[in-house]
Amino acid sequence: MTLVEVFETIWETFQSKDSVLQPVWDYVRLNHSETLRSPLFPVILTVASYFVFCLPYLVCDIMGQKWPAVNRYKIQPDKMPTTAMLLHCSGVTLYNHVLLVFPAAVAQWMWRPPVPLPERAPTLLELAGGVTGNLLLFDLQYFIWHFLHHKIRWLYVTFHAIHHNYSAPFALATQCLGGWELVTVGFWTTINPVLLRGHLLTTWMFMVVHVYVSVEDHCGYDFPWSTSRLIPFGVYGGPSKHDVHHQKPNTNFAPHFSHWDKLFGTHADFSFAKAQ
């Protein structure tokens, strides 16, 4: 099936009221089934997505004040990451993935059978609802985890302190984590779609979206197209909210949304953190 035939089938599918995603799903399912069924596929997908999403912000950080039109959106414009900081975070990220993530994925071949690929694709509504549901569930899990690791000093010093080496976060600091934290986050990201019984396509879309919003939360820039500006009523925190957490570590524990912090009194207004 060629790409032209895929797009023609999408239009026919749309007219027939079936899932618009069905032709795309049929194409990848029939032509790349072995790749999609591999336990390494989700790992490669998320790692590749991470570095792709980090790259534009990395360019902004390197260019710094040479791009005043971009730099004016920097939340803390007087705190640009240095080369040493960028290299340190890249090294920690690669170390954790080489020694923890990839071995865990390879080990799955010993106990996990190949993933069956369903014939039916999710509808756009099912896809959007599944991704949102997974993000909301992860938000609750990480809020509790994050809160405990800030309130119990041993947990903070042993596992979480490395992430707070920088009071002004930047994209490559997103996965500058202790091994325990990375494993925990990876476990929730993997198990939540199973708990919510999501379609595999929904699962992979959630993983990519979750990587994107995590990078955006740490990017250090509050652009007009930031997710927090696109979602109304202040229900989503975004980069400014998380930037405040790195400045005031006992606030804004939820990774993405704002409702848990508001409910438990740990929400901090992030207007002061915006660039003047």
Side-chain angles (χ1 to χ4, degrees):
M1 182 181 289
T2 66
L3 288 178
V4 173
E5 291 173 330
V6 168
F7 287 119
E8 289 177 349
T9 310
I10 288 176
W11 177 247
E12 293 172 359
T13 302
F14 178 77
Q15 292 180 314
S16 67
K17 306 300 182 182
D18 292 331
S19 173
V20 135
L21 300 172
Q22 190 65 51
V24 178
W25 177 245
D26 286 340
Y27 175 79
V28 297
R29 179 175 60 87
L30 296 175
N31 293 279
H32 304 284
S33 61
E34 292 304 315
T35 300
L36 299 179
R37 297 170 71 194
S38 169
L40 287 178
F41 175 73
V43 178
I44 295 173
L45 177 67
T46 53
V47 172
S49 300
Y50 176 70
F51 286 107
V52 168
F53 292 143
C54 281
L55 185 59
Y57 298 115
L58 177 60
V59 173
C60 293
D61 288 336
I62 292 174
M63 295 303 295
Q65 295 184 352
K66 295 179 182 179
W67 283 358
V70 172
N71 195 60
R72 68 192 182 97
Y73 294 108
K74 188 82 169 70
I75 299 172
Q76 298 187 60
D78 58 330
K79 294 183 178 180
M80 300 297 294
T82 64
T83 302
M85 293 160 64
L86 296 174
L87 291 175
H88 171 256
C89 289
S90 299
V92 171
T93 301
L94 291 174
Y95 176 88
N96 284 336
H97 279 83
V98 169
L99 294 186
L100 292 173
V101 176
F102 279 106
V106 172
Q108 291 186 63
W109 267 317
M110 300 180 63
W111 61 269
R112 182 183 177 186
V115 179
L117 301 178
E119 294 186 4
R120 175 184 169 275
T123 65
L124 288 176
L125 184 60
E126 289 171 338
L127 183 77
V131 170
T132 303
N134 277 285
L135 285 173
L136 287 169
L137 179 56
F138 178 87
D139 207 62
L140 170 61
Q141 294 163 331
Y142 193 81
F143 172 81
I144 297 171
W145 187 102
H146 200 184
F147 181 86
L148 291 175
H149 279 68
H150 273 271
K151 296 303 180 182
I152 301 174
R153 180 167 178 76
W154 179 80
L155 291 176
Y156 179 83
V157 172
T158 306
F159 302 116
H160 190 55
I162 186 175
H163 189 63
H164 281 271
N165 283 341
Y166 312 109
S167 60
F170 49 94
L172 282 178
T174 306
Q175 292 192 11
C176 187
L177 308 169
W180 162 249
E181 182 168 4
L182 183 66
V183 168
T184 305
V185 170
F187 174 76
W188 289 327
T189 305
T190 303
I191 201 66
N192 285 355
V194 177
L195 295 176
L196 297 181
R197 299 183 179 182
H199 192 281
L200 280 174
L201 192 59
T202 303
T203 299
W204 299 329
M205 180 60 68
F206 157 64
M207 289 179 173
V208 173
V209 170
H210 183 248
V211 170
Y212 171 74
V213 294
S214 297
V215 170
E216 185 191 57
D217 284 350
H218 290 84
C219 73
Y221 294 88
D222 191 7
F223 290 116
W225 55 83
S226 294
T227 308
S228 55
R229 293 183 177 271
L230 301 178
I231 299 179
F233 311 119
V235 298
Y236 190 87
S240 290
K241 174 178 179 284
H242 196 71
D243 203 281
V244 171
H245 172 71
H246 278 256
Q247 298 177 56
K248 301 169 65 176
N250 285 317
T251 64
N252 296 348
F253 294 109
H256 309 309
F257 297 92
S258 299
H259 54 279
W260 292 115
D261 284 301
K262 291 178 179 179
L263 182 63
F264 287 94
T266 53
H267 174 79
D269 184 8
F270 41 88
S271 59
F272 80 89
K274 295 179 181 178
Q276 299 298 317

Short mmCIF file of all heavy atoms in Angstrom, two decimals, residues 162-224:
data_model
loop_
_atom_site.label_atom_id
_atom_site.label_comp_id
_atom_site.label_asym_id
_atom_site.label_seq_id
_atom_site.Cartn_x
_atom_site.Cartn_y
_atom_site.Cartn_z
N ILE A 162 19.15 15.37 42.62
CA ILE A 162 19.89 15.62 41.39
C ILE A 162 19.08 16.45 40.40
O ILE A 162 19.63 17.26 39.64
CB ILE A 162 20.32 14.27 40.74
CG1 ILE A 162 21.22 14.53 39.53
CG2 ILE A 162 19.11 13.44 40.37
CD1 ILE A 162 21.77 13.27 38.90
N HIS A 163 17.77 16.29 40.43
CA HIS A 163 16.91 17.02 39.50
C HIS A 163 16.81 18.50 39.88
O HIS A 163 16.42 19.32 39.05
CB HIS A 163 15.51 16.39 39.47
CG HIS A 163 14.64 16.95 38.39
ND1 HIS A 163 14.94 16.83 37.04
CD2 HIS A 163 13.47 17.65 38.45
CE1 HIS A 163 13.99 17.42 36.33
NE2 HIS A 163 13.09 17.92 37.15
N HIS A 164 17.16 18.82 41.12
CA HIS A 164 17.07 20.21 41.58
C HIS A 164 18.44 20.87 41.65
O HIS A 164 18.61 21.85 42.37
CB HIS A 164 16.36 20.27 42.94
CG HIS A 164 14.87 20.18 42.81
ND1 HIS A 164 14.06 21.28 42.64
CD2 HIS A 164 14.05 19.10 42.83
CE1 HIS A 164 12.80 20.89 42.55
NE2 HIS A 164 12.77 19.56 42.66
N ASN A 165 19.38 20.35 40.91
CA ASN A 165 20.68 21.01 40.82
C ASN A 165 20.57 22.37 40.15
O ASN A 165 21.43 23.23 40.32
CB ASN A 165 21.67 20.15 40.03
CG ASN A 165 22.22 18.99 40.84
OD1 ASN A 165 22.15 19.00 42.07
ND2 ASN A 165 22.75 17.99 40.17
N TYR A 166 19.48 22.56 39.40
CA TYR A 166 19.33 23.78 38.62
C TYR A 166 18.04 24.50 39.01
O TYR A 166 16.95 23.92 38.92
CB TYR A 166 19.32 23.45 37.12
CG TYR A 166 20.44 22.52 36.73
CD1 TYR A 166 20.19 21.20 36.37
CD2 TYR A 166 21.76 22.96 36.74
CE1 TYR A 166 21.22 20.34 36.02
CE2 TYR A 166 22.80 22.11 36.40
CZ TYR A 166 22.53 20.81 36.04
OH TYR A 166 23.56 19.97 35.71
N SER A 167 18.16 25.75 39.44
CA SER A 167 16.98 26.52 39.82
C SER A 167 16.26 27.10 38.61
O SER A 167 15.14 27.57 38.72
CB SER A 167 17.38 27.66 40.77
OG SER A 167 18.31 28.54 40.14
N ALA A 168 16.91 27.08 37.47
CA ALA A 168 16.30 27.51 36.21
C ALA A 168 16.31 26.32 35.25
O ALA A 168 17.33 26.04 34.62
CB ALA A 168 17.05 28.69 35.61
N PRO A 169 15.22 25.57 35.16
CA PRO A 169 15.23 24.35 34.35
C PRO A 169 15.41 24.64 32.86
O PRO A 169 15.11 25.74 32.38
CB PRO A 169 13.86 23.72 34.63
CG PRO A 169 13.01 24.86 35.10
CD PRO A 169 13.92 25.79 35.80
N PHE A 170 15.90 23.65 32.15
CA PHE A 170 16.06 23.72 30.70
C PHE A 170 15.75 22.34 30.15
O PHE A 170 15.69 21.35 30.89
CB PHE A 170 17.47 24.18 30.32
CG PHE A 170 18.57 23.44 31.03
CD1 PHE A 170 19.18 22.34 30.45
CD2 PHE A 170 18.98 23.83 32.30
CE1 PHE A 170 20.20 21.65 31.11
CE2 PHE A 170 19.99 23.15 32.97
CZ PHE A 170 20.59 22.05 32.37
N ALA A 171 15.53 22.24 28.84
CA ALA A 171 14.97 21.03 28.25
C ALA A 171 15.74 19.77 28.60
O ALA A 171 15.16 18.75 28.97
CB ALA A 171 14.88 21.19 26.74
N LEU A 172 17.08 19.81 28.49
CA LEU A 172 17.86 18.60 28.74
C LEU A 172 17.89 18.20 30.21
O LEU A 172 18.36 17.12 30.54
CB LEU A 172 19.30 18.80 28.23
CG LEU A 172 19.49 18.67 26.71
CD1 LEU A 172 20.94 18.93 26.33
CD2 LEU A 172 19.04 17.30 26.22
N ALA A 173 17.38 19.06 31.10
CA ALA A 173 17.28 18.69 32.51
C ALA A 173 16.05 17.83 32.79
O ALA A 173 15.89 17.32 33.90
CB ALA A 173 17.24 19.94 33.38
N THR A 174 15.19 17.66 31.79
CA THR A 174 13.94 16.91 31.99
C THR A 174 14.21 15.51 32.53
O THR A 174 13.56 15.06 33.48
CB THR A 174 13.17 16.79 30.65
OG1 THR A 174 12.98 18.09 30.11
CG2 THR A 174 11.83 16.11 30.86
N GLN A 175 15.14 14.82 31.92
CA GLN A 175 15.45 13.45 32.35
C GLN A 175 16.78 13.36 33.08
O GLN A 175 17.40 12.29 33.13
CB GLN A 175 15.42 12.51 31.15
CG GLN A 175 14.03 12.33 30.58
CD GLN A 175 13.92 11.19 29.58
OE1 GLN A 175 14.83 10.38 29.43
NE2 GLN A 175 12.80 11.11 28.90
N CYS A 176 17.21 14.47 33.65
CA CYS A 176 18.38 14.44 34.53
C CYS A 176 17.89 13.98 35.90
O CYS A 176 17.63 14.78 36.81
CB CYS A 176 19.05 15.81 34.60
SG CYS A 176 20.62 15.82 35.50
N LEU A 177 17.70 12.68 36.03
CA LEU A 177 17.03 12.08 37.18
C LEU A 177 17.90 10.98 37.78
O LEU A 177 18.76 10.41 37.11
CB LEU A 177 15.69 11.46 36.75
CG LEU A 177 14.72 12.33 35.96
CD1 LEU A 177 13.60 11.47 35.40
CD2 LEU A 177 14.16 13.44 36.83
N GLY A 178 17.62 10.65 39.04
CA GLY A 178 18.19 9.46 39.63
C GLY A 178 17.57 8.23 38.99
O GLY A 178 16.45 8.27 38.47
N GLY A 179 18.29 7.12 39.00
CA GLY A 179 17.80 5.91 38.37
C GLY A 179 16.45 5.45 38.90
O GLY A 179 15.57 5.04 38.15
N TRP A 180 16.26 5.56 40.22
CA TRP A 180 14.99 5.15 40.84
C TRP A 180 13.82 5.96 40.30
O TRP A 180 12.77 5.42 39.99
CB TRP A 180 15.10 5.32 42.36
CG TRP A 180 13.79 5.34 43.09
CD1 TRP A 180 13.23 6.42 43.72
CD2 TRP A 180 12.87 4.26 43.29
NE1 TRP A 180 12.03 6.09 44.28
CE2 TRP A 180 11.79 4.76 44.03
CE3 TRP A 180 12.88 2.92 42.90
CZ2 TRP A 180 10.71 3.96 44.40
CZ3 TRP A 180 11.80 2.12 43.26
CH2 TRP A 180 10.75 2.64 44.00
N GLU A 181 14.02 7.27 40.15
CA GLU A 181 12.95 8.12 39.65
C GLU A 181 12.62 7.78 38.20
O GLU A 181 11.45 7.71 37.81
CB GLU A 181 13.32 9.59 39.78
CG GLU A 181 12.22 10.53 39.31
CD GLU A 181 12.45 11.98 39.70
OE1 GLU A 181 13.51 12.28 40.28
OE2 GLU A 181 11.55 12.79 39.43
N LEU A 182 13.64 7.57 37.39
CA LEU A 182 13.41 7.24 35.98
C LEU A 182 12.66 5.92 35.85
O LEU A 182 11.73 5.80 35.05
CB LEU A 182 14.74 7.17 35.23
CG LEU A 182 14.63 6.89 33.73
CD1 LEU A 182 13.96 8.05 33.02
CD2 LEU A 182 16.01 6.65 33.13
N VAL A 183 13.04 4.92 36.65
CA VAL A 183 12.35 3.63 36.61
C VAL A 183 10.90 3.77 37.04
O VAL A 183 9.99 3.18 36.44
CB VAL A 183 13.09 2.61 37.51
CG1 VAL A 183 12.25 1.36 37.71
CG2 VAL A 183 14.44 2.25 36.91
N THR A 184 10.65 4.57 38.08
CA THR A 184 9.28 4.77 38.56
C THR A 184 8.43 5.45 37.51
O THR A 184 7.30 5.01 37.23
CB THR A 184 9.30 5.63 39.84
OG1 THR A 184 10.15 5.03 40.81
CG2 THR A 184 7.89 5.76 40.42
N VAL A 185 8.94 6.51 36.92
CA VAL A 185 8.21 7.22 35.88
C VAL A 185 7.95 6.30 34.69
O VAL A 185 6.85 6.26 34.12
CB VAL A 185 8.99 8.47 35.44
CG1 VAL A 185 8.36 9.09 34.19
CG2 VAL A 185 9.02 9.51 36.56
N GLY A 186 8.97 5.53 34.30
CA GLY A 186 8.80 4.58 33.20
C GLY A 186 7.77 3.51 33.50
O GLY A 186 7.00 3.10 32.62
N PHE A 187 7.72 3.06 34.77
CA PHE A 187 6.75 2.04 35.15
C PHE A 187 5.33 2.56 35.01
O PHE A 187 4.47 1.89 34.43
CB PHE A 187 7.01 1.61 36.60
CG PHE A 187 5.98 0.66 37.15
CD1 PHE A 187 5.98 -0.67 36.77
CD2 PHE A 187 4.99 1.11 38.02
CE1 PHE A 187 5.02 -1.55 37.26
CE2 PHE A 187 4.04 0.24 38.52
CZ PHE A 187 4.04 -1.09 38.14
N TRP A 188 5.07 3.77 35.52
CA TRP A 188 3.72 4.34 35.39
C TRP A 188 3.35 4.58 33.94
O TRP A 188 2.22 4.31 33.53
CB TRP A 188 3.62 5.65 36.18
CG TRP A 188 3.63 5.45 37.65
CD1 TRP A 188 3.12 4.41 38.36
CD2 TRP A 188 4.19 6.34 38.63
NE1 TRP A 188 3.33 4.58 39.70
CE2 TRP A 188 3.97 5.75 39.90
CE3 TRP A 188 4.86 7.56 38.56
CZ2 TRP A 188 4.39 6.36 41.07
CZ3 TRP A 188 5.27 8.17 39.73
CH2 TRP A 188 5.04 7.58 40.98
N THR A 189 4.30 5.09 33.17
CA THR A 189 4.02 5.36 31.76
C THR A 189 3.67 4.07 31.01
O THR A 189 2.86 4.08 30.08
CB THR A 189 5.24 6.04 31.10
OG1 THR A 189 5.59 7.21 31.83
CG2 THR A 189 4.92 6.43 29.66
N THR A 190 4.26 2.96 31.43
CA THR A 190 4.01 1.68 30.77
C THR A 190 2.75 1.02 31.28
O THR A 190 1.97 0.44 30.50
CB THR A 190 5.21 0.73 30.99
OG1 THR A 190 6.41 1.36 30.50
CG2 THR A 190 5.00 -0.59 30.28
N ILE A 191 2.52 1.08 32.59
CA ILE A 191 1.41 0.32 33.18
C ILE A 191 0.06 1.04 33.06
O ILE A 191 -0.99 0.40 33.01
CB ILE A 191 1.71 -0.01 34.67
CG1 ILE A 191 0.85 -1.19 35.15
CG2 ILE A 191 1.47 1.21 35.55
CD1 ILE A 191 1.18 -2.50 34.49
N ASN A 192 0.06 2.37 33.02
CA ASN A 192 -1.21 3.11 32.99
C ASN A 192 -2.07 2.77 31.78
O ASN A 192 -3.29 2.57 31.92
CB ASN A 192 -0.94 4.62 33.05
CG ASN A 192 -0.54 5.08 34.44
OD1 ASN A 192 -0.55 4.29 35.38
ND2 ASN A 192 -0.17 6.33 34.57
N PRO A 193 -1.49 2.70 30.55
CA PRO A 193 -2.34 2.30 29.42
C PRO A 193 -2.92 0.90 29.57
O PRO A 193 -4.01 0.62 29.06
CB PRO A 193 -1.37 2.37 28.22
CG PRO A 193 -0.33 3.35 28.64
CD PRO A 193 -0.15 3.11 30.11
N VAL A 194 -2.19 0.02 30.27
CA VAL A 194 -2.72 -1.33 30.51
C VAL A 194 -3.90 -1.25 31.48
O VAL A 194 -4.94 -1.90 31.27
CB VAL A 194 -1.62 -2.24 31.09
CG1 VAL A 194 -2.18 -3.62 31.41
CG2 VAL A 194 -0.45 -2.36 30.11
N LEU A 195 -3.75 -0.45 32.54
CA LEU A 195 -4.83 -0.30 33.51
C LEU A 195 -6.07 0.32 32.88
O LEU A 195 -7.21 -0.06 33.20
CB LEU A 195 -4.37 0.58 34.68
CG LEU A 195 -3.23 0.02 35.55
CD1 LEU A 195 -2.82 1.05 36.59
CD2 LEU A 195 -3.67 -1.28 36.23
N LEU A 196 -5.86 1.26 31.96
CA LEU A 196 -6.99 1.93 31.31
C LEU A 196 -7.45 1.21 30.05
O LEU A 196 -8.37 1.68 29.37
CB LEU A 196 -6.60 3.38 30.98
CG LEU A 196 -6.28 4.28 32.17
CD1 LEU A 196 -5.94 5.69 31.71
CD2 LEU A 196 -7.43 4.31 33.16
N ARG A 197 -6.79 0.09 29.74
CA ARG A 197 -7.17 -0.75 28.60
C ARG A 197 -7.21 0.04 27.29
O ARG A 197 -8.17 -0.04 26.52
CB ARG A 197 -8.52 -1.43 28.86
CG ARG A 197 -8.50 -2.34 30.08
CD ARG A 197 -9.81 -3.05 30.27
NE ARG A 197 -9.77 -3.93 31.43
CZ ARG A 197 -10.78 -4.71 31.81
NH1 ARG A 197 -11.93 -4.71 31.12
NH2 ARG A 197 -10.67 -5.50 32.87
N GLY A 198 -6.17 0.79 27.06
CA GLY A 198 -6.11 1.60 25.86
C GLY A 198 -5.62 0.82 24.66
O GLY A 198 -4.94 -0.21 24.78
N HIS A 199 -5.97 1.29 23.50
CA HIS A 199 -5.47 0.74 22.24
C HIS A 199 -3.97 0.99 22.16
O HIS A 199 -3.44 1.95 22.72
CB HIS A 199 -6.20 1.42 21.08
CG HIS A 199 -5.99 0.76 19.76
ND1 HIS A 199 -4.84 0.94 18.99
CD2 HIS A 199 -6.79 -0.07 19.02
CE1 HIS A 199 -4.94 0.26 17.88
NE2 HIS A 199 -6.10 -0.37 17.86
N LEU A 200 -3.25 0.12 21.44
CA LEU A 200 -1.80 0.28 21.32
C LEU A 200 -1.44 1.62 20.67
O LEU A 200 -0.47 2.27 21.06
CB LEU A 200 -1.20 -0.86 20.51
CG LEU A 200 -0.98 -2.17 21.27
CD1 LEU A 200 -0.50 -3.25 20.31
CD2 LEU A 200 0.04 -1.98 22.39
N LEU A 201 -2.22 2.04 19.70
CA LEU A 201 -1.96 3.33 19.06
C LEU A 201 -2.15 4.47 20.05
O LEU A 201 -1.38 5.44 20.07
CB LEU A 201 -2.88 3.52 17.85
CG LEU A 201 -2.56 4.67 16.91
CD1 LEU A 201 -1.15 4.53 16.33
CD2 LEU A 201 -3.59 4.73 15.77
N THR A 202 -3.15 4.34 20.91
CA THR A 202 -3.37 5.33 21.96
C THR A 202 -2.21 5.32 22.96
O THR A 202 -1.76 6.38 23.42
CB THR A 202 -4.69 5.04 22.70
OG1 THR A 202 -5.77 5.01 21.77
CG2 THR A 202 -4.97 6.10 23.76
N THR A 203 -1.73 4.12 23.29
CA THR A 203 -0.60 3.99 24.20
C THR A 203 0.63 4.71 23.67
O THR A 203 1.28 5.49 24.38
CB THR A 203 -0.27 2.51 24.43
OG1 THR A 203 -1.40 1.86 25.02
CG2 THR A 203 0.95 2.35 25.33
N TRP A 204 0.94 4.46 22.41
CA TRP A 204 2.15 5.09 21.84
C TRP A 204 1.97 6.60 21.70
O TRP A 204 2.93 7.35 21.91
CB TRP A 204 2.45 4.45 20.48
CG TRP A 204 2.72 2.98 20.59
CD1 TRP A 204 3.29 2.32 21.65
CD2 TRP A 204 2.43 1.98 19.62
NE1 TRP A 204 3.37 0.98 21.40
CE2 TRP A 204 2.85 0.73 20.16
CE3 TRP A 204 1.86 1.99 18.35
CZ2 TRP A 204 2.72 -0.47 19.47
CZ3 TRP A 204 1.72 0.80 17.66
CH2 TRP A 204 2.15 -0.42 18.22
N MET A 205 0.76 7.04 21.36
CA MET A 205 0.52 8.47 21.27
C MET A 205 0.66 9.12 22.64
O MET A 205 1.24 10.22 22.77
CB MET A 205 -0.87 8.73 20.69
CG MET A 205 -1.21 10.22 20.57
SD MET A 205 -0.08 11.12 19.49
CE MET A 205 -0.48 10.40 17.89
N PHE A 206 0.15 8.46 23.67
CA PHE A 206 0.31 8.97 25.03
C PHE A 206 1.79 9.10 25.39
O PHE A 206 2.21 10.11 25.97
CB PHE A 206 -0.39 8.06 26.04
CG PHE A 206 0.14 8.15 27.44
CD1 PHE A 206 0.04 9.33 28.18
CD2 PHE A 206 0.78 7.06 28.03
CE1 PHE A 206 0.56 9.42 29.47
CE2 PHE A 206 1.29 7.14 29.31
CZ PHE A 206 1.19 8.32 30.03
N MET A 207 2.58 8.10 25.07
CA MET A 207 4.01 8.15 25.40
C MET A 207 4.69 9.34 24.74
O MET A 207 5.48 10.05 25.37
CB MET A 207 4.68 6.84 24.97
CG MET A 207 4.29 5.64 25.81
SD MET A 207 5.08 4.11 25.25
CE MET A 207 4.59 2.98 26.56
N VAL A 208 4.37 9.57 23.47
CA VAL A 208 4.98 10.69 22.75
C VAL A 208 4.50 12.03 23.31
O VAL A 208 5.31 12.94 23.54
CB VAL A 208 4.68 10.59 21.24
CG1 VAL A 208 5.16 11.84 20.51
CG2 VAL A 208 5.33 9.35 20.65
N VAL A 209 3.20 12.14 23.55
CA VAL A 209 2.66 13.38 24.11
C VAL A 209 3.22 13.64 25.50
O VAL A 209 3.57 14.78 25.85
CB VAL A 209 1.11 13.33 24.16
CG1 VAL A 209 0.54 14.50 24.96
CG2 VAL A 209 0.54 13.33 22.75
N HIS A 210 3.35 12.59 26.29
CA HIS A 210 3.89 12.74 27.63
C HIS A 210 5.34 13.21 27.60
O HIS A 210 5.75 14.06 28.40
CB HIS A 210 3.80 11.42 28.39
CG HIS A 210 4.26 11.51 29.80
ND1 HIS A 210 5.41 10.88 30.24
CD2 HIS A 210 3.78 12.17 30.86
CE1 HIS A 210 5.60 11.15 31.52
NE2 HIS A 210 4.63 11.93 31.91
N VAL A 211 6.12 12.68 26.66
CA VAL A 211 7.50 13.15 26.52
C VAL A 211 7.51 14.63 26.13
O VAL A 211 8.27 15.43 26.68
CB VAL A 211 8.25 12.31 25.46
CG1 VAL A 211 9.60 12.95 25.13
CG2 VAL A 211 8.47 10.89 25.97
N TYR A 212 6.63 15.00 25.21
CA TYR A 212 6.60 16.40 24.76
C TYR A 212 6.25 17.36 25.89
O TYR A 212 6.95 18.36 26.11
CB TYR A 212 5.60 16.59 23.61
CG TYR A 212 5.41 18.05 23.29
CD1 TYR A 212 6.39 18.76 22.61
CD2 TYR A 212 4.26 18.73 23.69
CE1 TYR A 212 6.24 20.11 22.33
CE2 TYR A 212 4.09 20.08 23.42
CZ TYR A 212 5.09 20.76 22.74
OH TYR A 212 4.93 22.11 22.49
N VAL A 213 5.16 17.08 26.61
CA VAL A 213 4.76 18.02 27.66
C VAL A 213 5.77 18.04 28.81
O VAL A 213 5.95 19.07 29.47
CB VAL A 213 3.34 17.70 28.18
CG1 VAL A 213 2.30 17.93 27.10
CG2 VAL A 213 3.23 16.28 28.73
N SER A 214 6.46 16.92 29.04
CA SER A 214 7.50 16.90 30.07
C SER A 214 8.67 17.79 29.68
O SER A 214 9.20 18.55 30.50
CB SER A 214 7.99 15.46 30.31
OG SER A 214 6.94 14.64 30.80
N VAL A 215 9.08 17.70 28.41
CA VAL A 215 10.16 18.56 27.92
C VAL A 215 9.72 20.02 27.96
O VAL A 215 10.47 20.91 28.38
CB VAL A 215 10.57 18.15 26.50
CG1 VAL A 215 11.52 19.18 25.88
CG2 VAL A 215 11.24 16.78 26.52
N GLU A 216 8.49 20.27 27.53
CA GLU A 216 7.99 21.64 27.52
C GLU A 216 7.93 22.22 28.94
O GLU A 216 8.26 23.39 29.16
CB GLU A 216 6.60 21.70 26.89
CG GLU A 216 6.07 23.11 26.73
CD GLU A 216 4.61 23.14 26.35
OE1 GLU A 216 3.78 22.56 27.10
OE2 GLU A 216 4.29 23.75 25.32
N ASP A 217 7.54 21.39 29.91
CA ASP A 217 7.47 21.85 31.30
C ASP A 217 8.84 22.33 31.80
O ASP A 217 8.92 23.22 32.64
CB ASP A 217 6.97 20.73 32.21
CG ASP A 217 5.47 20.52 32.09
OD1 ASP A 217 4.80 21.36 31.45
OD2 ASP A 217 4.97 19.51 32.62
N HIS A 218 9.89 21.70 31.29
CA HIS A 218 11.24 22.02 31.77
C HIS A 218 12.01 22.96 30.84
O HIS A 218 13.15 23.31 31.14
CB HIS A 218 12.06 20.73 31.93
CG HIS A 218 11.61 19.85 33.05
ND1 HIS A 218 10.57 18.96 32.92
CD2 HIS A 218 12.06 19.73 34.33
CE1 HIS A 218 10.39 18.32 34.06
NE2 HIS A 218 11.28 18.77 34.93
N CYS A 219 11.41 23.37 29.74
CA CYS A 219 12.17 24.06 28.71
C CYS A 219 12.70 25.42 29.13
O CYS A 219 13.70 25.90 28.60
CB CYS A 219 11.33 24.20 27.44
SG CYS A 219 10.00 25.42 27.55
N GLY A 220 12.02 26.08 30.08
CA GLY A 220 12.47 27.39 30.53
C GLY A 220 11.96 28.54 29.70
O GLY A 220 12.33 29.70 29.93
N TYR A 221 11.09 28.25 28.72
CA TYR A 221 10.52 29.29 27.87
C TYR A 221 9.00 29.25 27.94
O TYR A 221 8.40 28.18 27.95
CB TYR A 221 10.95 29.09 26.41
CG TYR A 221 12.43 29.27 26.17
CD1 TYR A 221 13.31 28.19 26.31
CD2 TYR A 221 12.95 30.50 25.79
CE1 TYR A 221 14.67 28.34 26.09
CE2 TYR A 221 14.31 30.67 25.57
CZ TYR A 221 15.17 29.59 25.72
OH TYR A 221 16.52 29.75 25.52
N ASP A 222 8.37 30.41 27.97
CA ASP A 222 6.92 30.50 27.98
C ASP A 222 6.47 31.13 26.66
O ASP A 222 6.16 32.31 26.59
CB ASP A 222 6.43 31.34 29.17
CG ASP A 222 4.93 31.25 29.37
OD1 ASP A 222 4.30 30.44 28.68
OD2 ASP A 222 4.40 31.98 30.21
N PHE A 223 6.47 30.30 25.61
CA PHE A 223 6.11 30.78 24.28
C PHE A 223 4.59 30.95 24.15
O PHE A 223 3.83 30.34 24.91
CB PHE A 223 6.60 29.80 23.22
CG PHE A 223 8.10 29.77 23.05
CD1 PHE A 223 8.83 28.61 23.34
CD2 PHE A 223 8.77 30.89 22.59
CE1 PHE A 223 10.21 28.59 23.17
CE2 PHE A 223 10.15 30.86 22.42
CZ PHE A 223 10.87 29.72 22.71
N PRO A 224 4.14 31.75 23.20
CA PRO A 224 2.68 31.93 23.01
C PRO A 224 1.96 30.64 22.68
O PRO A 224 0.76 30.52 22.92
CB PRO A 224 2.61 32.92 21.83
CG PRO A 224 3.91 33.64 21.85
CD PRO A 224 4.93 32.64 22.33
#
